[in-house]
Amino acid sequence: MAGTLYLCATPIGNLEDITFRVLRTLKEVDLIAAEDTRNSIKLLNHFEIKTPMTSYHEYNKIEKAKELVEKLLAGTNIALITDAGTPGISDPGEELARMAMEAGITVTSLPGACACITALTISGLPTRRFAFEAFLPSDKKECRQVLDELKDETRTILLYEAPHRLKKTLALLLETLGDRQITVCRELTKKHETAVRGLLSEVLSHFEEEEPRGECVLVLHGKDFKEIEKETQEKWQEWSIPEHVEYYMAQGMDKKEAMKAAAGDRGLSKRDIYQALLDK
């Protein structure tokens, strides 16, 4: 019978955050695939876990995944761990999980620490709806495209960032998305855990005076629905009513449907739209 792939969440800082189930699994599996064996050996030694370990990281994620899938098909039980947190969240674990599932292997996740969720819950910002973007692309063009997509995002936005790039990223967010509420969480679950809250401009000023340290999670307030509605109304007012109706007709609507849509956009009655067309 094929083995099972266990996605095991490990602490993001405080070692006490590991679960009993993860500890038992790490001891019972045949092999542990770790993002950085040099980092993970400290965790295993702390909990006296002697299970053999192999490296699985960003630069070998395809070829090594094929090798690990072969082992799984042969009956080997494998636990996948990342440097910190839950495998598959902004790390190469998603590739191995996908390939294992495609091969018909049982994949199960052992929940635990996750930096983005930890930050969200202490951010003081809305938690019901959120969009996780991980690290912004390093390519300038791709980064701009992502930020352009986020301009009108109404959900709370979560980003990861390294300390040496934090100020640059905060300045870019302020320039692109405007001055909105943000919480920057750093050193989560560790002794010097902090959550700096305020407007983007205020938080940027804070870190210009106090050099950031430790990996950061940025939790950013989504765009307000009222602000979007206001901008939309301003956009429609730039068009004449005939232009507005023509816009919808060009998309395949008949005239009656287009008039109804334009009336809804502008907060007018269909009679007002009809009269404007007659006047034209």
Side-chain angles (χ1 to χ4, degrees):
M1 292 178 62
T4 298
L5 175 62
Y6 298 89
L7 309 179
C8 296
T10 52
I12 57 176
N14 193 317
L15 293 181
E16 293 181 359
D17 290 336
I18 200 164
T19 69
F20 291 125
R21 185 182 174 205
V22 167
L23 287 176
R24 175 178 57 79
T25 300
L26 292 177
K27 292 175 181 178
E28 292 179 352
V29 293
D30 304 301
L31 181 66
I32 296 172
E35 187 174 8
D36 186 337
T37 55
R38 296 166 300 179
N39 179 67
S40 296
I41 193 64
K42 300 173 187 176
L43 176 73
L44 300 188
N45 286 342
H46 180 83
F47 291 107
E48 300 181 350
I49 297 170
K50 307 299 183 183
T51 307
M53 192 165 40
T54 187
S55 64
Y56 175 75
H57 49 73
E58 181 66 28
Y59 303 104
N60 71 355
K61 64 182 180 182
I62 302 299
E63 289 306 313
K64 193 58 176 281
K66 293 177 182 177
E67 180 184 323
L68 293 174
V69 167
E70 288 299 318
K71 289 182 181 294
L72 287 159
L73 289 171
T76 303
N77 289 313
I78 299 176
L80 176 65
I81 59 176
T82 182
D83 283 347
T86 301
I89 303 297
S90 189
D91 77 17
E94 63 176 323
E95 200 68 45
L96 176 58
R98 179 186 61 79
M99 292 173 68
M101 283 185 274
E102 288 176 352
I105 294 162
T106 299
V107 179
T108 187
S109 182
L110 282 60
C114 183
C116 61
I117 299 301
T118 304
L120 177 64
T121 56
I122 66 170
S123 69
L125 295 176
T127 61
R128 189 176 68 86
R129 301 168 63 249
F130 59 92
F132 176 59
E133 283 291 335
F135 290 93
L136 289 173
S138 55
D139 180 84
K140 287 185 179 180
K141 184 178 179 181
E142 289 181 21
C143 183
R144 285 289 180 182
Q145 288 175 339
V146 170
L147 290 174
D148 284 342
E149 290 177 7
L150 294 177
K151 280 182 181 178
D152 292 327
E153 176 59 70
T154 58
R155 294 171 293 179
T156 300
I157 301 164
L158 288 95
L159 300 168
Y160 285 163
E161 193 50 278
H164 66 279
R165 291 195 300 264
L166 179 63
K167 288 184 285 186
K168 182 178 179 181
T169 297
L170 289 174
L172 184 60
L173 291 171
L174 178 59
E175 174 194 339
T176 310
L177 306 183
D179 205 8
R180 59 176 75 177
Q181 288 291 325
I182 189 173
T183 300
V184 175
C185 302
R186 50 175 294 277
E187 296 286 83
L188 286 168
T189 77
K190 299 177 184 177
K191 182 179 180 180
H192 299 293
E193 172 183 290
T194 58
V196 181
R197 303 177 179 89
L199 290 172
L200 260 168
S201 56
E202 296 169 341
V203 173
L204 176 57
S205 296
H206 170 85
F207 284 110
E208 284 175 341
E209 296 177 7
E210 182 179 310
E211 196 65 25
R213 296 180 181 177
E215 296 300 313
C216 303
V217 183
L218 284 59
V219 188
L220 192 64
H221 202 294
K223 194 165 187 178
D224 189 87
F225 280 107
K226 291 181 180 178
E227 186 180 350
I228 292 176
E229 184 178 349
K230 180 183 176 183
E231 290 178 356
T232 302
Q233 287 296 328
E234 290 174 351
K235 171 189 170 184
W236 296 134
Q237 295 308 318
E238 293 175 1
W239 291 1
S240 68
I241 289 178
E243 287 174 331
H244 200 155
V245 173
E246 182 59 36
Y247 166 77
Y248 282 118
M249 291 179 66
Q251 296 182 50
M253 290 186 182
D254 62 33
K255 192 169 185 178
K256 188 175 181 180
E257 291 174 324
M259 289 170 62
K260 182 178 180 181
D265 289 340
R266 303 173 83 97
L268 300 174
S269 68
K270 284 194 292 182
R271 182 182 294 276
D272 292 330
I273 300 295
Y274 180 71
Q275 187 61 50
L277 294 177
L278 284 180
D279 294 342
K280 173 67 176 179

mmCIF file of all heavy atoms in Angstrom, residues 233 237 241-242 244-245 255-278:
data_model
loop_
_atom_site.group_PDB
_atom_site.id
_atom_site.type_symbol
_atom_site.label_atom_id
_atom_site.label_comp_id
_atom_site.label_asym_id
_atom_site.label_seq_id
_atom_site.Cartn_x
_atom_site.Cartn_y
_atom_site.Cartn_z
ATOM 1 N N GLN A 233 -19.403 56.671 -8.738
ATOM 2 C CA GLN A 233 -20.343 57.731 -9.107
ATOM 3 C C GLN A 233 -19.625 58.865 -9.835
ATOM 4 O O GLN A 233 -20.138 59.406 -10.816
ATOM 5 C CB GLN A 233 -21.034 58.267 -7.844
ATOM 6 C CG GLN A 233 -22.057 57.323 -7.243
ATOM 7 C CD GLN A 233 -23.239 57.071 -8.167
ATOM 8 O OE1 GLN A 233 -23.642 57.931 -8.936
ATOM 9 N NE2 GLN A 233 -23.784 55.866 -8.102
ATOM 10 N N GLN A 237 -20.259 60.230 -13.712
ATOM 11 C CA GLN A 237 -20.602 61.621 -13.976
ATOM 12 C C GLN A 237 -19.734 62.237 -15.073
ATOM 13 O O GLN A 237 -20.086 63.258 -15.649
ATOM 14 C CB GLN A 237 -20.482 62.441 -12.687
ATOM 15 C CG GLN A 237 -21.468 62.054 -11.600
ATOM 16 C CD GLN A 237 -22.911 62.021 -12.077
ATOM 17 O OE1 GLN A 237 -23.335 62.906 -12.818
ATOM 18 N NE2 GLN A 237 -23.661 61.009 -11.663
ATOM 19 N N ILE A 241 -25.224 60.828 -20.317
ATOM 20 C CA ILE A 241 -26.137 59.685 -20.214
ATOM 21 C C ILE A 241 -26.155 58.858 -21.509
ATOM 22 O O ILE A 241 -26.102 57.625 -21.463
ATOM 23 C CB ILE A 241 -27.551 60.154 -19.809
ATOM 24 C CG1 ILE A 241 -27.531 60.606 -18.347
ATOM 25 C CG2 ILE A 241 -28.580 59.043 -20.019
ATOM 26 C CD1 ILE A 241 -28.840 61.147 -17.821
ATOM 27 N N PRO A 242 -26.190 59.478 -22.687
ATOM 28 C CA PRO A 242 -26.132 58.677 -23.918
ATOM 29 C C PRO A 242 -24.856 57.831 -24.009
ATOM 30 O O PRO A 242 -24.897 56.684 -24.453
ATOM 31 C CB PRO A 242 -26.183 59.737 -25.024
ATOM 32 C CG PRO A 242 -26.925 60.872 -24.411
ATOM 33 C CD PRO A 242 -26.479 60.901 -22.980
ATOM 34 N N HIS A 244 -23.181 56.679 -21.512
ATOM 35 C CA HIS A 244 -23.330 55.630 -20.499
ATOM 36 C C HIS A 244 -24.170 54.472 -21.042
ATOM 37 O O HIS A 244 -23.825 53.304 -20.890
ATOM 38 C CB HIS A 244 -23.993 56.234 -19.256
ATOM 39 C CG HIS A 244 -23.776 55.431 -18.016
ATOM 40 N ND1 HIS A 244 -23.833 55.981 -16.762
ATOM 41 C CD2 HIS A 244 -23.529 54.110 -17.818
ATOM 42 C CE1 HIS A 244 -23.617 55.048 -15.857
ATOM 43 N NE2 HIS A 244 -23.447 53.904 -16.478
ATOM 44 N N VAL A 245 -25.280 54.799 -21.682
ATOM 45 C CA VAL A 245 -26.151 53.776 -22.275
ATOM 46 C C VAL A 245 -25.424 53.047 -23.398
ATOM 47 O O VAL A 245 -25.483 51.813 -23.512
ATOM 48 C CB VAL A 245 -27.459 54.405 -22.793
ATOM 49 C CG1 VAL A 245 -28.290 53.370 -23.561
ATOM 50 C CG2 VAL A 245 -28.262 54.989 -21.629
ATOM 51 N N LYS A 255 -31.227 47.976 -25.760
ATOM 52 C CA LYS A 255 -31.340 49.352 -25.286
ATOM 53 C C LYS A 255 -32.064 49.441 -23.948
ATOM 54 O O LYS A 255 -31.668 50.215 -23.064
ATOM 55 C CB LYS A 255 -32.068 50.206 -26.327
ATOM 56 C CG LYS A 255 -31.972 51.703 -26.048
ATOM 57 C CD LYS A 255 -32.474 52.508 -27.232
ATOM 58 C CE LYS A 255 -32.264 54.006 -27.009
ATOM 59 N NZ LYS A 255 -32.702 54.801 -28.167
ATOM 60 N N LYS A 256 -33.096 48.637 -23.781
ATOM 61 C CA LYS A 256 -33.876 48.670 -22.537
ATOM 62 C C LYS A 256 -33.013 48.252 -21.350
ATOM 63 O O LYS A 256 -33.035 48.880 -20.287
ATOM 64 C CB LYS A 256 -35.090 47.743 -22.676
ATOM 65 C CG LYS A 256 -36.075 47.848 -21.525
ATOM 66 C CD LYS A 256 -37.298 46.984 -21.796
ATOM 67 C CE LYS A 256 -38.296 47.100 -20.653
ATOM 68 N NZ LYS A 256 -39.496 46.250 -20.910
ATOM 69 N N GLU A 257 -32.240 47.161 -21.519
ATOM 70 C CA GLU A 257 -31.357 46.691 -20.450
ATOM 71 C C GLU A 257 -30.268 47.714 -20.148
ATOM 72 O O GLU A 257 -29.919 47.952 -18.980
ATOM 73 C CB GLU A 257 -30.705 45.365 -20.848
ATOM 74 C CG GLU A 257 -31.662 44.182 -20.918
ATOM 75 C CD GLU A 257 -30.973 42.929 -21.469
ATOM 76 O OE1 GLU A 257 -30.106 43.068 -22.365
ATOM 77 O OE2 GLU A 257 -31.303 41.829 -20.999
ATOM 78 N N ALA A 258 -29.728 48.328 -21.205
ATOM 79 C CA ALA A 258 -28.664 49.313 -21.041
ATOM 80 C C ALA A 258 -29.170 50.541 -20.279
ATOM 81 O O ALA A 258 -28.467 51.097 -19.429
ATOM 82 C CB ALA A 258 -28.119 49.718 -22.399
ATOM 83 N N MET A 259 -30.406 50.957 -20.573
ATOM 84 C CA MET A 259 -30.991 52.094 -19.871
ATOM 85 C C MET A 259 -31.186 51.778 -18.389
ATOM 86 O O MET A 259 -30.917 52.612 -17.517
ATOM 87 C CB MET A 259 -32.323 52.478 -20.509
ATOM 88 C CG MET A 259 -32.186 53.122 -21.895
ATOM 89 S SD MET A 259 -33.780 53.287 -22.741
ATOM 90 C CE MET A 259 -34.656 54.370 -21.616
ATOM 91 N N LYS A 260 -31.621 50.550 -18.108
ATOM 92 C CA LYS A 260 -31.834 50.136 -16.722
ATOM 93 C C LYS A 260 -30.510 50.111 -15.960
ATOM 94 O O LYS A 260 -30.429 50.573 -14.810
ATOM 95 C CB LYS A 260 -32.484 48.751 -16.695
ATOM 96 C CG LYS A 260 -32.797 48.252 -15.299
ATOM 97 C CD LYS A 260 -33.480 46.886 -15.348
ATOM 98 C CE LYS A 260 -33.781 46.397 -13.933
ATOM 99 N NZ LYS A 260 -34.440 45.047 -13.955
ATOM 100 N N ALA A 261 -29.456 49.574 -16.605
ATOM 101 C CA ALA A 261 -28.141 49.496 -15.961
ATOM 102 C C ALA A 261 -27.589 50.892 -15.696
ATOM 103 O O ALA A 261 -27.056 51.175 -14.613
ATOM 104 C CB ALA A 261 -27.178 48.694 -16.837
ATOM 105 N N ALA A 262 -27.707 51.785 -16.661
ATOM 106 C CA ALA A 262 -27.215 53.154 -16.500
ATOM 107 C C ALA A 262 -27.974 53.885 -15.401
ATOM 108 O O ALA A 262 -27.383 54.643 -14.620
ATOM 109 C CB ALA A 262 -27.334 53.907 -17.820
ATOM 110 N N ALA A 263 -29.291 53.652 -15.340
ATOM 111 C CA ALA A 263 -30.099 54.276 -14.289
ATOM 112 C C ALA A 263 -29.634 53.814 -12.913
ATOM 113 O O ALA A 263 -29.511 54.625 -11.981
ATOM 114 C CB ALA A 263 -31.579 53.925 -14.498
ATOM 115 N N GLY A 264 -29.348 52.519 -12.777
ATOM 116 C CA GLY A 264 -28.873 51.981 -11.503
ATOM 117 C C GLY A 264 -27.533 52.570 -11.106
ATOM 118 O O GLY A 264 -27.313 52.915 -9.936
ATOM 119 N N ASP A 265 -26.619 52.703 -12.078
ATOM 120 C CA ASP A 265 -25.296 53.261 -11.803
ATOM 121 C C ASP A 265 -25.382 54.698 -11.284
ATOM 122 O O ASP A 265 -24.646 55.112 -10.392
ATOM 123 C CB ASP A 265 -24.429 53.254 -13.066
ATOM 124 C CG ASP A 265 -23.999 51.855 -13.476
ATOM 125 O OD1 ASP A 265 -24.037 50.942 -12.626
ATOM 126 O OD2 ASP A 265 -23.628 51.685 -14.658
ATOM 127 N N ARG A 266 -26.288 55.461 -11.887
ATOM 128 C CA ARG A 266 -26.331 56.899 -11.606
ATOM 129 C C ARG A 266 -27.341 57.271 -10.528
ATOM 130 O O ARG A 266 -27.467 58.448 -10.150
ATOM 131 C CB ARG A 266 -26.655 57.661 -12.902
ATOM 132 C CG ARG A 266 -25.682 57.376 -14.027
ATOM 133 C CD ARG A 266 -26.111 58.004 -15.339
ATOM 134 N NE ARG A 266 -25.706 59.393 -15.428
ATOM 135 C CZ ARG A 266 -24.603 59.818 -16.053
ATOM 136 N NH1 ARG A 266 -23.789 58.949 -16.634
ATOM 137 N NH2 ARG A 266 -24.315 61.101 -16.101
ATOM 138 N N GLY A 267 -28.073 56.271 -10.019
ATOM 139 C CA GLY A 267 -29.078 56.545 -9.002
ATOM 140 C C GLY A 267 -30.262 57.316 -9.541
ATOM 141 O O GLY A 267 -30.880 58.117 -8.833
ATOM 142 N N LEU A 268 -30.581 57.084 -10.828
ATOM 143 C CA LEU A 268 -31.703 57.769 -11.479
ATOM 144 C C LEU A 268 -32.796 56.759 -11.823
ATOM 145 O O LEU A 268 -32.598 55.548 -11.754
ATOM 146 C CB LEU A 268 -31.217 58.460 -12.766
ATOM 147 C CG LEU A 268 -30.114 59.517 -12.603
ATOM 148 C CD1 LEU A 268 -29.649 59.993 -13.978
ATOM 149 C CD2 LEU A 268 -30.613 60.696 -11.770
ATOM 150 N N SER A 269 -33.936 57.270 -12.221
ATOM 151 C CA SER A 269 -35.011 56.395 -12.694
ATOM 152 C C SER A 269 -34.833 56.162 -14.191
ATOM 153 O O SER A 269 -34.148 56.931 -14.878
ATOM 154 C CB SER A 269 -36.373 57.038 -12.432
ATOM 155 O OG SER A 269 -36.535 58.186 -13.264
ATOM 156 N N LYS A 270 -35.465 55.095 -14.698
ATOM 157 C CA LYS A 270 -35.394 54.830 -16.142
ATOM 158 C C LYS A 270 -36.046 55.966 -16.923
ATOM 159 O O LYS A 270 -35.646 56.265 -18.047
ATOM 160 C CB LYS A 270 -36.071 53.488 -16.462
ATOM 161 C CG LYS A 270 -35.239 52.276 -16.084
ATOM 162 C CD LYS A 270 -35.777 51.008 -16.723
ATOM 163 C CE LYS A 270 -37.129 50.637 -16.148
ATOM 164 N NZ LYS A 270 -37.625 49.358 -16.737
ATOM 165 N N ARG A 271 -37.051 56.617 -16.300
ATOM 166 C CA ARG A 271 -37.716 57.744 -16.960
ATOM 167 C C ARG A 271 -36.719 58.892 -17.187
ATOM 168 O O ARG A 271 -36.714 59.532 -18.236
ATOM 169 C CB ARG A 271 -38.900 58.222 -16.112
ATOM 170 C CG ARG A 271 -39.693 59.377 -16.733
ATOM 171 C CD ARG A 271 -40.805 59.818 -15.807
ATOM 172 N NE ARG A 271 -41.803 58.771 -15.662
ATOM 173 C CZ ARG A 271 -42.803 58.576 -16.515
ATOM 174 N NH1 ARG A 271 -42.923 59.348 -17.590
ATOM 175 N NH2 ARG A 271 -43.691 57.629 -16.297
ATOM 176 N N ASP A 272 -35.841 59.126 -16.172
ATOM 177 C CA ASP A 272 -34.828 60.185 -16.299
ATOM 178 C C ASP A 272 -33.878 59.870 -17.457
ATOM 179 O O ASP A 272 -33.498 60.756 -18.223
ATOM 180 C CB ASP A 272 -34.021 60.310 -15.002
ATOM 181 C CG ASP A 272 -34.848 60.832 -13.849
ATOM 182 O OD1 ASP A 272 -35.788 61.598 -14.095
ATOM 183 O OD2 ASP A 272 -34.552 60.455 -12.689
ATOM 184 N N ILE A 273 -33.494 58.587 -17.566
ATOM 185 C CA ILE A 273 -32.582 58.174 -18.628
ATOM 186 C C ILE A 273 -33.258 58.350 -19.987
ATOM 187 O O ILE A 273 -32.653 58.881 -20.939
ATOM 188 C CB ILE A 273 -32.141 56.709 -18.438
ATOM 189 C CG1 ILE A 273 -31.427 56.524 -17.103
ATOM 190 C CG2 ILE A 273 -31.259 56.242 -19.607
ATOM 191 C CD1 ILE A 273 -30.123 57.274 -16.989
ATOM 192 N N TYR A 274 -34.522 57.921 -20.061
ATOM 193 C CA TYR A 274 -35.280 58.018 -21.308
ATOM 194 C C TYR A 274 -35.402 59.472 -21.745
ATOM 195 O O TYR A 274 -35.207 59.812 -22.927
ATOM 196 C CB TYR A 274 -36.651 57.372 -21.125
ATOM 197 C CG TYR A 274 -37.508 57.420 -22.370
ATOM 198 C CD1 TYR A 274 -37.187 56.634 -23.468
ATOM 199 C CD2 TYR A 274 -38.641 58.231 -22.439
ATOM 200 C CE1 TYR A 274 -37.966 56.663 -24.619
ATOM 201 C CE2 TYR A 274 -39.432 58.272 -23.559
ATOM 202 C CZ TYR A 274 -39.081 57.478 -24.664
ATOM 203 O OH TYR A 274 -39.862 57.513 -25.792
ATOM 204 N N GLN A 275 -35.693 60.371 -20.781
ATOM 205 C CA GLN A 275 -35.865 61.782 -21.092
ATOM 206 C C GLN A 275 -34.549 62.384 -21.591
ATOM 207 O O GLN A 275 -34.525 63.200 -22.532
ATOM 208 C CB GLN A 275 -36.343 62.551 -19.853
ATOM 209 C CG GLN A 275 -36.706 64.007 -20.120
ATOM 210 C CD GLN A 275 -37.837 64.135 -21.130
ATOM 211 O OE1 GLN A 275 -38.881 63.504 -21.011
ATOM 212 N NE2 GLN A 275 -37.601 64.940 -22.180
ATOM 213 N N ALA A 276 -33.406 61.967 -20.967
ATOM 214 C CA ALA A 276 -32.111 62.483 -21.381
ATOM 215 C C ALA A 276 -31.795 62.057 -22.814
ATOM 216 O O ALA A 276 -31.220 62.826 -23.588
ATOM 217 C CB ALA A 276 -31.026 61.981 -20.434
ATOM 218 N N LEU A 277 -32.180 60.815 -23.164
ATOM 219 C CA LEU A 277 -31.962 60.338 -24.517
ATOM 220 C C LEU A 277 -32.830 61.097 -25.521
ATOM 221 O O LEU A 277 -32.396 61.398 -26.633
ATOM 222 C CB LEU A 277 -32.232 58.837 -24.591
ATOM 223 C CG LEU A 277 -31.277 57.936 -23.809
ATOM 224 C CD1 LEU A 277 -31.713 56.464 -23.924
ATOM 225 C CD2 LEU A 277 -29.839 58.075 -24.321
ATOM 226 N N LEU A 278 -34.068 61.423 -25.093
ATOM 227 C CA LEU A 278 -34.950 62.196 -25.972
ATOM 228 C C LEU A 278 -34.377 63.589 -26.195
ATOM 229 O O LEU A 278 -34.401 64.117 -27.336
ATOM 230 C CB LEU A 278 -36.349 62.305 -25.359
ATOM 231 C CG LEU A 278 -37.244 61.072 -25.435
ATOM 232 C CD1 LEU A 278 -38.592 61.361 -24.769
ATOM 233 C CD2 LEU A 278 -37.470 60.660 -26.888
#
